[in-house]
Amino acid sequence: MRNVFLIVLAVTFLTSCKTAGYKDLSPDKTVFKTVSIDTLFQDNISIRAISVDGNKIW
């Protein structure tokens, strides 16, 4: 019974790793020519430590 389980597990694993049938999920072939960078926040601040408190970073 254990050998049958291992064979079924191996076949399932090998068929799940098959990538030949997958198609490219992003049909949009956009090529970027330029990039624009905007400064959202600029300040003279010096951070010396980072502390994680729940869902906030101080």
Side-chain angles (χ1 to χ4, degrees):
M1 186 68 181
R2 184 176 178 193
N3 289 338
V4 173
F5 176 71
L6 290 176
I7 290 171
V8 170
L9 183 65
V11 169
T12 304
F13 177 74
L14 291 175
T15 56
S16 68
C17 293
K18 180 177 75 170
T19 60
Y22 294 134
K23 294 181 181 177
D24 188 19
L25 297 176
S26 60
D28 187 19
K29 301 290 182 189
T30 304
V31 177
F32 294 100
K33 302 277 185 204
T34 61
V35 175
S36 168
I37 299 175
D38 292 334
T39 302
L40 298 177
F41 181 74
Q42 184 174 3
D43 195 8
N44 294 330
I45 190 169
S46 176
I47 298 176
R48 300 184 189 270
I50 297 177
S51 175
V52 179
D53 182 28
N55 290 335
K56 293 183 180 180
I57 297 178
W58 300 93

